[in-house]
Amino acid sequence: MPRPGYLHRLPSLHWLWLLVLAALFLGVGMGLRDPWPADEPRFALNALEMLKTGQFWIPHRAGEPYPDKPPIFMWATAASIHLTGSVRLGFLLPSLLGALGTLALVMDLTRRLHGRRVALLAGLALLSSFQFGLQARTAQIDMLVTFFIMLGAYGMLRHALLGPARRWWFIGCAGMGLGILTKGVGFLPLLMLPLWGLLAWRRQAVPLAWRDLGLGIAVILGVVALWVVPMALYTTFSDDPALAAYRDNILFKQTGERYADAWHHVKPWYYYLLEVIPWAWLPLVLALPWLVPAWWHRARRLDARVLLPLGGLVLVIVFFSFSPGKRGVYLLPTLPLLVLASAPMLAGLLSRPRLHWLGAGVLALFGVVFLAAGVLGALGLPALARLAERHGVVPWAWWSLLGLVAFGLLAWGRPRRGLVALACWLAVFWLSWSTWGYQLMDPARSPRDLMQEIVAQTGPEAWLAMPAFDEEFVLQARQPMVHFGYHTPDDDQFRRAFAWLHEAPGERWMLVPQHRDEEVACADLTRTRDLGVQNSEAWWLIPGGAFDACSGDAGAAPLYVAPTTLDAASSGRHD
């Protein structure tokens, strides 16, 4: 029998119903599209190769070791594809579960700190946040790592604000370890430790004993070591230079070097403040003029319930701003902290007329932009027509509907309910994105039909080479396919491809973008087959016999066979 008070401690049904609603809302559209670039085809390819080859410890991309990320997300994707029996269903499942887990942690912590009503408002605030909705529907690695980061923050805050709760501190440390094995930045909650210590010194938070701090760090390192130590031993004693390069890349280049001396996505220091936060934090970003004074007031009172998540939020932004390499998605872990720091003020914000007017203004702007773009596109405005032709999508009716819905919500809510109307429009946007939008964009962003056309022209037994390959083409291949190393210089890849084609010109073909005409200028281009536009590129299919005059070099680059394509030749589809 349950102990007295057991039922009283259970979450309210409203709390659970919101999670069910979130699962339905975020899950709409699963199964309606293929993995899209960037990143999604790569992780789906990693997962399929794990299932095909049984090599789970070292992720591979089209037969080549993939050193950019640890394997947790690939394991989750492989498990999801295996359990659902479908790439289209399985590849999005880890992000969906990560989003629901993050939402549950935020709501539960808010309920314990501020009550059930505020917890519901916090859940709705997080669910309506633009970047949260985007990443929950995207099979990138960031939503799952955000869940593990939030689990770490949850464990810390349970101990600091509601403790002592040593068990939750250690659970949070385990979550941080899993976050490190997901993307390397799972340690971000530790940035709150100095502020936690200061608040504990001022008797505003439960102190963390030095012994527990040491044990927690040991838990983090122990979880990381579960994969890193066997991986390091295996790659060190394998006598395979490719695996040794994998070890060095994943342990050093993709961690400290990527942060301190990034080689791509280089942005100015103000990138997050001016170019990411204004859209990623919508609609809560509109409340900053009221939130900042409220935060200052609570900071003067040393309110640890607000200061700890707010301090973590600021420190995460500062941490990523110091690195020259920046991507908008890096700020996703700040959203749960933003909601936690704003939770006590959410009810009051809803009574601010000027905030509702601001929300109505933003919604009106969206309505004008989408309706104008939809109508002008339908009327054939040249700039929009060229955009549609380049991307292979004609969204005019969809955009017009979104504009009309915006004005309809404005008419319903009037400015006095502008923030609510904006949140409702965002819900309509995501529901239409996950249904109508998927149907419009999938043929343009997934080369499934193109790869079926290629196999129809070459036959399923013909081999296909793709120098400077993109993962989405390998993922959708319906015949054996080779490439020459993702990071190999392009000139070396083409020389290796020419040598490979010369070995059996009657059975081998090359798929190449038309803008690579200089690299294949030595070929007899009268024999090329124009495949049209796919993924914003025009493509050629060239038979191996057309490269007789091209000089090849079998030692110029490695040769990799994509394992997943071998099954595709016989099974027909990855669905």
Side-chain angles (χ1 to χ4, degrees):
M1 294 293 292
R3 296 191 305 272
Y6 174 80
L7 294 177
H8 177 72
R9 291 196 297 270
L10 287 176
S12 68
L13 290 179
H14 293 86
W15 190 88
L16 294 175
W17 274 116
L18 183 57
L19 282 179
V20 172
L21 176 65
L24 295 174
F25 175 64
L26 298 175
V28 168
M30 287 184 64
L32 294 183
R33 70 172 179 91
D34 293 320
W36 293 345
D39 298 339
E40 289 183 350
R42 179 182 312 142
F43 296 131
L45 199 60
N46 294 148
L48 285 173
E49 290 196 35
M50 287 179 174
L51 295 172
K52 164 66 179 175
T53 65
Q55 171 55 274
F56 288 88
W57 217 245
I58 308 294
H60 284 69
R61 169 178 50 196
E64 179 183 19
Y66 172 67
D68 289 12
K69 297 292 184 295
I72 290 284
F73 186 76
M74 296 78 150
W75 291 346
T77 304
S80 300
I81 292 173
H82 178 71
L83 290 173
T84 61
S86 167
V87 172
R88 280 191 160 199
L89 285 174
F91 85 99
L92 285 169
L93 194 55
S95 290
L96 173 63
L97 295 178
L100 294 176
T102 302
L103 182 65
L105 291 172
V106 168
M107 291 178 63
D108 183 69
L109 187 58
T110 305
R111 179 178 63 88
R112 294 173 185 276
L113 291 172
H114 308 291
R116 290 175 177 173
R117 178 169 177 264
V118 178
L120 289 173
L121 291 175
L124 290 170
L126 183 59
L127 190 59
S128 65
S129 298
F130 187 86
Q131 192 177 42
F132 186 83
L134 174 63
Q135 289 304 131
R137 296 170 173 84
T138 304
Q140 293 176 321
I141 207 166
D142 300 274
M143 185 53 78
L144 188 61
V145 78
T146 294
F147 166 70
F148 288 128
I149 290 171
M150 185 56 212
L151 180 58
Y154 179 93
M156 293 180 68
L157 296 174
R158 278 289 297 264
H159 188 36
L161 304 177
L162 298 166
R166 296 176 67 242
R167 179 182 64 175
W168 278 107
W169 159 246
F170 293 128
I171 291 174
C173 289
M176 285 184 264
L178 291 171
I180 292 171
L181 288 182
T182 304
K183 199 178 179 180
V185 294
F187 62 86
L188 287 176
L190 295 180
L191 297 176
M192 292 189 285
L193 281 176
L195 183 57
W196 181 2
L198 178 62
L199 290 169
W201 177 63
R202 296 296 300 271
R203 300 183 183 277
Q204 300 299 315
V206 175
L208 177 65
W210 287 105
R211 179 174 178 269
D212 288 340
L213 174 60
L215 290 174
I217 299 298
V219 169
I220 295 173
L221 296 177
V223 171
V224 173
L226 290 176
W227 176 74
V228 168
V229 171
M231 178 276 297
L233 293 173
Y234 174 70
T235 54
T236 299
F237 295 105
S238 68
D239 295 325
D240 185 343
L243 292 180
Y246 170 88
R247 177 202 60 210
D248 295 340
N249 200 321
I250 192 71
L251 292 181
F252 304 111
K253 184 175 181 179
Q254 297 298 329
T255 52
E257 184 178 343
R258 188 182 186 116
Y259 177 82
D261 190 20
W263 53 91
H264 58 175
H265 304 299
V266 175
K267 303 290 184 181
W269 67 268
Y270 54 80
Y271 172 69
Y272 293 119
L273 296 177
L274 300 184
E275 299 185 38
V276 177
I277 287 176
W279 63 264
W281 286 5
L282 269 175
L284 202 52
V285 68
L286 302 178
L288 286 180
W290 293 269
L291 282 172
V292 171
W295 285 335
W296 175 248
H297 178 68
R298 287 178 178 265
R300 295 179 62 185
R301 290 165 40 195
L302 295 180
D303 186 343
R305 298 176 303 170
V306 169
L307 275 179
L308 270 177
L310 180 61
L313 163 74
V314 172
L315 289 170
V316 169
I317 296 174
V318 170
F319 174 82
F320 284 122
S321 295
F322 272 119
S323 173
K326 301 175 180 68
R327 294 180 65 193
V329 75
Y330 293 172
L331 281 201
L332 183 63
T334 65
L335 271 173
L337 297 174
L338 173 67
V339 171
L340 288 171
S342 308
M345 286 73 79
L346 290 176
L349 290 173
L350 291 176
S351 64
R352 298 278 184 176
R354 292 183 180 179
L355 178 57
H356 284 284
W357 276 85
L358 188 57
V362 172
L363 181 56
L365 176 63
F366 286 156
V368 168
V369 169
F370 275 96
L371 186 58
V375 171
L376 292 175
L379 293 175
L381 184 71
L384 291 174
R386 288 193 297 270
L387 184 68
E389 182 179 2
R390 176 185 174 188
H391 293 284
V393 178
V394 182
W396 316 134
W398 176 32
W399 287 2
S400 298
L401 177 64
L402 287 172
L404 292 173
V405 168
F407 288 116
L409 287 169
L410 282 172
W412 162 77
R414 307 298 175 95
R416 67 176 181 272
R417 290 197 293 263
L419 199 63
V420 177
L422 176 59
C424 291
W425 183 85
L426 287 171
V428 172
F429 174 84
W430 287 122
L431 290 173
S432 67
W433 169 277
S434 302
T435 50
W436 195 351
Y438 283 3
Q439 295 294 328
L440 285 174
M441 294 185 291
D442 192 56
R445 302 198 66 184
S446 168
R448 179 184 63 252
D449 294 340
L450 177 71
M451 301 310 285
Q452 290 175 342
E453 173 63 22
I454 290 175
V455 80
Q457 294 193 31
T458 66
E461 303 301 323
W463 284 72
L464 185 66
M466 189 176 185
F469 78 100
D470 291 324
E471 293 97 343
E472 61 268 25
F473 291 87
V474 181
L475 179 67
Q476 297 295 341
R478 300 298 182 261
Q479 62 199 100
M481 193 167 184
V482 300
H483 70 97
F484 311 99
Y486 190 82
H487 295 290
T488 304
D490 289 350
D491 288 344
D492 293 339
Q493 291 196 46
F494 277 94
R495 288 190 292 121
R496 180 67 181 94
F498 298 153
W500 179 81
L501 291 165
H502 291 162
E503 294 172 4
E507 303 171 4
R508 298 178 178 181
W509 300 68
M510 180 187 287
L511 175 65
V512 62
Q514 293 184 18
H515 75 263
R516 297 280 188 175
D517 54 340
E518 292 186 5
E519 282 92 340
V520 296
C522 59
D524 179 5
L525 297 183
T526 62
R527 301 179 62 184
T528 63
R529 303 185 186 185
D530 190 344
L531 298 175
V533 175
Q534 178 64 55
N535 289 55
S536 303
E537 293 270 14
W539 294 89
W540 279 332
L541 179 64
I542 310 177
F547 294 94
D548 290 342
C550 297
S551 177
D553 181 358
L559 176 71
Y560 294 100
V561 178
T564 55
T565 62
L566 299 180
D567 276 351
S570 58
S571 64
R573 294 194 65 175
H574 293 307
D575 56 8

